[in-house]
Amino acid sequence: MALQDYYPLDAETQEIRLLSLEPGCFSDDIYIQLHRYSLSTTPRLSYEALSYVWGSSKNFVPIQIRTQNRQTQQMLVTQNLFAALKRLRYEQSTRDLWVDAICINQNNVIGRGQQVAMMGNIYCSATKVIAWLGSEDDDSTHALQFLDKLSSEITVLVMNRRECNAIYRLLMRPWFERVWIIQEISLGRNNAI
């Protein structure tokens, strides 16, 4: 898809695109704006980087991009990314994010290669890396609560069958199969699941 706001990025100044996720309620449509910033010249750039699995390339969902002239263009994203944006959106304020599927022009092979080469710096420069494991499913909330409890305990805990199965299903999610997660999480200054 050819978007107006996919102007070429300057690799020499380590220019990246960030998306501003506009505020709204969970049921509202997703609106974003794209902005260009230089990692080497913009002081104290504040954004969060999203680590996630793109998901199925079937059944894309539309989001709206507000262009610089305040018109809107539709962009199709995977259902998993759509769910993440819905959950991450603030109700009262914008949220600046770096999301590879949107911030990198996937149709520009040269530009995409330059941005992929910068991903280590992109994640390292983020104020927080958010690990989106997917929507709640297979008792994952219980697994995360148990892991939180486990991390605060000094003594050995005995896991029951539900806790064991919930943690197993959580760790079997596609996010954990990605090679990039080690780089994305280890380079982030603050990480959130």
Side-chain angles (χ1 to χ4, degrees):
M1 172 180 295
L3 294 173
Q4 285 181 351
D5 289 359
Y6 272 154
Y7 298 110
L9 299 174
D10 184 354
E12 287 186 27
T13 62
Q14 294 188 321
E15 201 171 44
I16 64 170
R17 276 181 210 89
L18 295 179
L19 69 86
S20 290
L21 181 58
E22 294 184 2
C25 298
F26 185 78
S27 60
D28 292 342
D29 289 341
I30 297 285
Y31 283 88
I32 66 167
Q33 295 178 39
L34 294 175
H35 305 281
R36 296 183 313 180
Y37 297 95
S38 169
L39 290 177
S40 63
T41 61
T42 307
R44 299 288 214 179
L45 189 58
S46 179
Y47 67 93
E48 299 165 298
L50 182 63
S51 173
Y52 70 107
V53 174
W54 280 27
S56 173
S57 60
K58 298 176 182 175
N59 302 322
F60 286 96
V61 183
I63 64 170
Q64 305 300 319
I65 299 178
R66 287 196 207 279
T67 62
Q68 290 180 349
N69 61 5
R70 300 301 291 166
Q71 294 181 347
T72 59
Q73 288 185 292
Q74 190 176 82
M75 179 182 202
L76 298 176
V77 298
T78 63
Q79 290 183 358
N80 192 46
L81 177 52
F82 183 76
L85 294 173
K86 286 277 209 185
R87 294 279 183 211
L88 294 173
R89 175 175 47 190
Y90 295 137
E91 286 191 19
Q92 301 296 323
S93 61
T94 60
R95 188 169 196 173
D96 292 328
L97 298 168
W98 185 85
V99 179
D100 59 354
I102 298 173
C103 295
I104 297 175
N105 183 351
Q106 300 299 322
N107 295 323
N108 179 334
V109 177
I110 294 171
R112 185 176 64 211
Q114 291 169 340
Q115 291 288 291
V116 168
M118 291 173 42
M119 284 177 72
N121 196 12
I122 291 169
Y123 279 94
C124 191
S125 298
T127 54
K128 182 187 288 184
V129 174
I130 301 167
W132 173 255
L133 304 181
S135 297
E136 202 286 328
D137 192 25
D138 291 328
D139 224 3
S140 58
T141 299
H142 184 71
L144 290 171
Q145 289 169 345
F146 182 75
L147 291 172
D148 186 48
K149 179 181 175 184
L150 184 64
S151 70
S152 66
E153 293 288 328
I154 296 174
T155 59
V156 175
L157 293 175
V158 177
M159 291 185 356
N160 63 37
R161 180 174 296 275
R162 179 182 176 201
E163 291 160 342
C164 186
N165 286 335
I167 290 169
Y168 172 78
R169 287 189 303 269
L170 179 72
L171 296 176
M172 293 306 294
R173 288 181 175 219
W175 184 82
F176 290 99
E177 296 174 8
R178 295 179 57 241
V179 175
W180 286 102
I181 65 168
I182 296 167
Q183 173 181 309
E184 294 168 359
I185 296 300
S186 66
L187 292 175
R189 289 184 269 175
N190 293 313
N191 300 316
I193 296 180

Coordinates of all heavy atoms in Angstrom, one line a residue, residues 40-90:
S40 N 19.9 10.1 15.9 CA 21.2 10.7 16.2 C 21.1 12.2 16.5 O 22.0 12.7 17.1 CB 22.2 10.5 15.0 OG 21.7 11.1 13.8
T41 N 20.0 12.8 16.1 CA 20.0 14.3 16.4 C 18.8 14.7 17.2 O 18.8 15.8 17.7 CB 19.9 15.1 15.0 OG1 18.7 14.7 14.3 CG2 21.1 14.8 14.2
T42 N 17.8 13.9 17.4 CA 16.6 14.3 18.3 C 17.0 14.0 19.7 O 17.2 12.8 20.1 CB 15.4 13.5 17.9 OG1 15.1 13.7 16.5 CG2 14.2 14.0 18.7
P43 N 17.1 15.0 20.6 CA 17.5 14.8 22.0 C 16.3 14.1 22.7 O 15.2 14.5 22.6 CB 17.8 16.2 22.5 CG 17.0 17.1 21.6 CD 16.9 16.4 20.3
R44 N 16.7 13.2 23.5 CA 15.7 12.5 24.4 C 14.4 12.1 23.8 O 13.3 12.4 24.3 CB 15.4 13.4 25.6 CG 16.6 13.8 26.5 CD 17.0 12.6 27.2 NE 17.5 13.0 28.5 CZ 17.9 12.1 29.4 NH1 17.9 10.9 29.1 NH2 18.4 12.5 30.6
L45 N 14.5 11.4 22.7 CA 13.3 10.9 22.0 C 12.6 9.9 22.9 O 13.2 9.0 23.5 CB 13.8 10.2 20.7 CG 12.7 9.8 19.7 CD1 11.9 11.0 19.3 CD2 13.3 9.2 18.5
S46 N 11.3 10.1 23.1 CA 10.6 9.3 24.0 C 9.5 8.5 23.3 O 8.6 9.0 22.7 CB 9.9 10.2 25.1 OG 9.1 9.4 26.0
Y47 N 9.7 7.2 23.2 CA 8.8 6.3 22.6 C 8.9 4.9 23.1 O 9.9 4.6 23.8 CB 9.0 6.2 21.0 CG 10.3 5.6 20.6 CD1 10.4 4.3 20.3 CD2 11.5 6.4 20.6 CE1 11.6 3.7 19.9 CE2 12.7 5.8 20.2 CZ 12.7 4.5 19.9 OH 13.9 4.0 19.5
E48 N 7.9 4.1 22.9 CA 8.0 2.7 23.3 C 8.0 1.8 22.0 O 7.4 2.1 21.0 CB 6.7 2.3 24.1 CG 6.6 3.1 25.4 CD 5.2 3.1 26.0 OE1 4.3 3.5 25.3 OE2 5.1 2.6 27.1
A49 N 8.8 0.7 22.1 CA 8.9 -0.2 21.0 C 8.1 -1.5 21.3 O 8.1 -2.0 22.4 CB 10.3 -0.6 20.7
L50 N 7.3 -1.9 20.3 CA 6.5 -3.1 20.5 C 7.2 -4.3 19.9 O 7.6 -4.4 18.8 CB 5.1 -2.9 19.7 CG 4.1 -4.0 19.9 CD1 3.7 -4.2 21.3 CD2 2.9 -3.7 19.0
S51 N 7.3 -5.3 20.8 CA 7.8 -6.7 20.4 C 6.6 -7.6 20.3 O 5.9 -7.7 21.3 CB 8.8 -7.2 21.4 OG 9.2 -8.5 21.1
Y52 N 6.3 -8.2 19.2 CA 5.1 -9.0 19.0 C 5.3 -9.9 17.8 O 6.2 -9.8 17.1 CB 3.9 -8.1 18.8 CG 3.9 -7.4 17.4 CD1 3.0 -7.7 16.4 CD2 4.8 -6.4 17.2 CE1 3.1 -7.1 15.2 CE2 4.9 -5.7 15.9 CZ 4.0 -6.1 14.9 OH 4.1 -5.5 13.7
V53 N 4.3 -10.8 17.6 CA 4.3 -11.7 16.4 C 3.3 -11.0 15.5 O 2.2 -10.7 15.9 CB 3.8 -13.1 16.8 CG1 3.6 -14.0 15.6 CG2 4.8 -13.7 17.8
W54 N 3.7 -10.9 14.2 CA 2.8 -10.3 13.2 C 1.5 -11.1 13.2 O 0.4 -10.5 13.1 CB 3.4 -10.3 11.8 CG 4.4 -9.2 11.6 CD1 5.1 -8.6 12.6 CD2 4.7 -8.6 10.4 NE1 5.9 -7.6 12.0 CE2 5.7 -7.6 10.7 CE3 4.3 -8.8 9.1 CZ2 6.2 -6.8 9.7 CZ3 4.9 -8.0 8.1 CH2 5.8 -7.1 8.4
G55 N 1.5 -12.4 13.2 CA 0.3 -13.2 13.1 C 0.0 -13.6 11.7 O 0.7 -13.4 10.8
S56 N -1.2 -14.2 11.6 CA -1.6 -14.7 10.3 C -1.7 -13.6 9.2 O -2.2 -12.4 9.5 CB -3.0 -15.3 10.4 OG -3.5 -15.7 9.1
S57 N -1.4 -13.9 8.0 CA -1.5 -12.9 6.9 C -2.8 -13.0 6.2 O -3.0 -12.5 5.2 CB -0.3 -13.1 5.9 OG -0.5 -14.4 5.4
K58 N -3.8 -13.6 6.9 CA -5.2 -13.7 6.4 C -6.0 -12.8 7.3 O -5.7 -12.6 8.5 CB -5.7 -15.1 6.5 CG -4.9 -16.1 5.6 CD -5.4 -17.5 5.7 CE -4.5 -18.4 4.9 NZ -4.8 -19.8 5.1
N59 N -7.1 -12.3 6.8 CA -8.1 -11.6 7.6 C -7.5 -10.3 8.2 O -7.5 -10.2 9.4 CB -8.7 -12.5 8.7 CG -9.4 -13.7 8.1 OD1 -10.0 -13.6 7.1 ND2 -9.2 -14.8 8.8
F60 N -6.9 -9.5 7.4 CA -6.4 -8.2 7.9 C -7.5 -7.3 8.4 O -8.7 -7.4 8.0 CB -5.6 -7.5 6.8 CG -4.3 -8.1 6.5 CD1 -4.2 -9.0 5.4 CD2 -3.2 -7.8 7.2 CE1 -3.0 -9.6 5.1 CE2 -2.0 -8.3 6.9 CZ -1.9 -9.2 5.9
V61 N -7.2 -6.4 9.3 CA -8.1 -5.4 9.9 C -7.7 -4.0 9.5 O -6.5 -3.7 9.6 CB -8.2 -5.7 11.4 CG1 -9.2 -4.8 12.0 CG2 -8.4 -7.1 11.7
P62 N -8.6 -3.1 9.2 CA -8.2 -1.8 8.8 C -8.0 -0.9 10.1 O -8.7 -1.0 11.1 CB -9.4 -1.2 8.0 CG -10.6 -2.0 8.6 CD -10.0 -3.4 9.0
I63 N -7.0 0.0 9.9 CA -6.8 1.1 10.9 C -6.7 2.4 10.0 O -6.5 2.3 8.8 CB -5.5 1.0 11.7 CG1 -4.2 1.0 10.8 CG2 -5.5 -0.3 12.6 CD1 -2.9 1.1 11.6
Q64 N -6.8 3.5 10.6 CA -6.8 4.8 9.9 C -5.6 5.6 10.2 O -5.2 5.7 11.4 CB -8.1 5.6 10.3 CG -9.4 4.9 10.1 CD -9.7 4.5 8.7 OE1 -9.4 5.2 7.8 NE2 -10.2 3.3 8.5
I65 N -4.9 6.1 9.2 CA -3.8 6.9 9.3 C -4.1 8.3 8.9 O -4.6 8.6 7.8 CB -2.6 6.4 8.4 CG1 -2.2 5.0 8.8 CG2 -1.4 7.4 8.6 CD1 -1.1 4.4 8.0
R66 N -3.9 9.3 9.9 CA -4.2 10.7 9.6 C -2.9 11.2 8.9 O -1.8 11.1 9.5 CB -4.5 11.5 10.8 CG -5.8 11.2 11.4 CD -6.2 12.3 12.4 NE -7.1 11.8 13.4 CZ -8.4 11.7 13.2 NH1 -9.0 12.0 12.0 NH2 -9.2 11.2 14.1
T67 N -3.0 11.7 7.7 CA -1.9 12.3 7.0 C -1.6 13.7 7.5 O -2.3 14.3 8.3 CB -2.2 12.3 5.5 OG1 -3.3 13.1 5.2 CG2 -2.5 10.9 5.0
Q68 N -0.5 14.2 7.0 CA 0.0 15.6 7.4 C -1.1 16.6 7.0 O -1.2 17.6 7.7 CB 1.3 15.9 6.8 CG 2.4 15.1 7.4 CD 3.8 15.4 6.8 OE1 3.9 16.1 5.8 NE2 4.8 14.9 7.5
N69 N -1.9 16.4 6.0 CA -2.9 17.3 5.6 C -4.2 17.0 6.3 O -5.3 17.5 5.8 CB -3.0 17.5 4.1 CG -3.4 16.1 3.4 OD1 -3.7 15.2 4.1 ND2 -3.4 16.1 2.1
R70 N -4.2 16.2 7.3 CA -5.4 15.8 8.1 C -6.4 15.0 7.4 O -7.5 14.8 7.9 CB -6.0 17.0 8.8 CG -5.1 17.9 9.6 CD -4.5 17.1 10.8 NE -5.6 16.8 11.8 CZ -5.4 15.9 12.8 NH1 -4.3 15.3 12.9 NH2 -6.3 15.7 13.6
Q71 N -6.1 14.4 6.3 CA -7.0 13.5 5.6 C -6.6 12.1 6.2 O -5.7 11.9 6.9 CB -6.8 13.5 4.1 CG -7.2 14.8 3.5 CD -7.0 14.7 2.0 OE1 -6.3 13.9 1.4 NE2 -7.6 15.7 1.3
T72 N -7.5 11.1 5.9 CA -7.2 9.8 6.5 C -7.0 8.8 5.3 O -7.6 8.9 4.2 CB -8.4 9.2 7.4 OG1 -9.6 9.2 6.6 CG2 -8.5 10.1 8.6
Q73 N -6.1 7.8 5.6 CA -5.9 6.7 4.7 C -6.1 5.4 5.5 O -5.7 5.4 6.6 CB -4.5 6.8 4.1 CG -4.3 7.9 3.0 CD -2.9 7.7 2.5 OE1 -1.9 7.9 3.1 NE2 -2.9 7.4 1.2
Q74 N -6.5 4.4 4.8 CA -6.7 3.1 5.5 C -5.5 2.3 5.3 O -4.9 2.3 4.2 CB -7.9 2.4 4.9 CG -8.3 1.2 5.7 CD -9.6 0.6 5.1 OE1 -9.5 -0.2 4.2 NE2 -10.7 0.9 5.7
M75 N -5.1 1.6 6.3 CA -4.0 0.6 6.3 C -4.5 -0.7 6.9 O -5.2 -0.6 7.9 CB -2.8 1.2 7.0 CG -1.6 0.2 7.0 SD -0.2 0.9 8.0 CE 1.1 0.0 7.3
L76 N -4.1 -1.8 6.3 CA -4.5 -3.1 6.8 C -3.4 -3.6 7.6 O -2.2 -3.6 7.3 CB -4.8 -4.0 5.6 CG -6.0 -3.6 4.8 CD1 -6.2 -4.6 3.6 CD2 -7.3 -3.5 5.6
V77 N -3.7 -4.1 8.8 CA -2.8 -4.7 9.8 C -3.3 -6.1 10.2 O -4.5 -6.4 10.0 CB -2.5 -3.9 11.0 CG1 -1.9 -2.5 10.6 CG2 -3.8 -3.7 11.8
T78 N -2.4 -6.9 10.7 CA -2.9 -8.3 11.1 C -3.8 -8.1 12.4 O -3.7 -7.1 13.1 CB -1.7 -9.1 11.5 OG1 -0.9 -8.6 12.6 CG2 -0.7 -9.3 10.3
Q79 N -4.5 -9.1 12.6 CA -5.5 -9.1 13.7 C -4.7 -9.0 15.1 O -5.1 -8.4 16.0 CB -6.3 -10.4 13.7 CG -7.4 -10.4 12.6 CD -8.3 -11.6 12.6 OE1 -8.2 -12.5 13.5 NE2 -9.2 -11.6 11.7
N80 N -3.5 -9.7 15.1 CA -2.7 -9.6 16.4 C -2.2 -8.2 16.6 O -2.3 -7.7 17.8 CB -1.6 -10.6 16.3 CG -0.9 -10.8 17.7 OD1 -1.6 -11.0 18.7 ND2 0.4 -10.7 17.7
L81 N -1.8 -7.5 15.6 CA -1.3 -6.1 15.8 C -2.5 -5.2 16.1 O -2.4 -4.4 17.0 CB -0.6 -5.6 14.6 CG -0.2 -4.1 14.6 CD1 0.6 -3.8 15.9 CD2 0.6 -3.8 13.3
F82 N -3.7 -5.5 15.5 CA -4.9 -4.7 15.8 C -5.2 -4.8 17.3 O -5.6 -3.9 18.0 CB -6.0 -5.1 14.9 CG -7.3 -4.4 15.0 CD1 -7.4 -3.1 14.5 CD2 -8.3 -4.9 15.7 CE1 -8.5 -2.3 14.6 CE2 -9.5 -4.2 15.8 CZ -9.6 -2.9 15.3
A83 N -5.2 -6.1 17.8 CA -5.6 -6.3 19.2 C -4.6 -5.6 20.1 O -5.0 -5.1 21.1 CB -5.6 -7.9 19.4
A84 N -3.3 -5.7 19.7 CA -2.3 -5.0 20.6 C -2.6 -3.5 20.6 O -2.5 -2.8 21.7 CB -0.9 -5.2 20.0
L85 N -2.8 -2.9 19.5 CA -3.1 -1.4 19.4 C -4.3 -1.1 20.2 O -4.3 0.0 20.9 CB -3.2 -0.9 18.0 CG -1.9 -1.0 17.1 CD1 -2.2 -0.7 15.7 CD2 -0.8 -0.1 17.7
K86 N -5.3 -1.9 20.2 CA -6.6 -1.7 21.0 C -6.2 -1.7 22.5 O -6.7 -0.8 23.2 CB -7.6 -2.7 20.7 CG -8.3 -2.6 19.3 CD -9.4 -1.6 19.4 CE -10.5 -2.0 18.5 NZ -11.5 -0.9 18.5
R87 N -5.4 -2.6 22.9 CA -5.1 -2.8 24.3 C -4.1 -1.7 24.8 O -4.2 -1.3 26.0 CB -4.5 -4.1 24.6 CG -5.5 -5.2 24.4 CD -6.4 -5.4 25.6 NE -7.3 -6.5 25.4 CZ -8.5 -6.6 25.9 NH1 -9.0 -5.7 26.6 NH2 -9.2 -7.7 25.6
L88 N -3.2 -1.2 23.9 CA -2.2 -0.3 24.3 C -2.7 1.2 24.2 O -2.0 2.0 24.8 CB -1.0 -0.5 23.4 CG -0.2 -1.8 23.6 CD1 0.9 -1.9 22.6 CD2 0.3 -2.0 25.0
R89 N -3.8 1.4 23.6 CA -4.2 2.8 23.4 C -4.7 3.4 24.7 O -5.4 2.7 25.5 CB -5.4 2.8 22.4 CG -6.0 4.2 22.2 CD -7.0 4.2 21.2 NE -8.0 3.1 21.2 CZ -8.9 2.9 20.3 NH1 -8.9 3.6 19.2 NH2 -9.7 1.9 20.4
Y90 N -4.3 4.6 24.9 CA -4.8 5.4 26.1 C -6.1 6.0 25.8 O -6.4 6.3 24.6 CB -3.8 6.5 26.5 CG -2.4 6.0 27.0 CD1 -1.3 6.6 26.6 CD2 -2.3 4.9 27.9 CE1 0.0 6.2 27.0 CE2 -1.1 4.5 28.3 CZ 0.1 5.1 27.9 OH 1.3 4.7 28.3

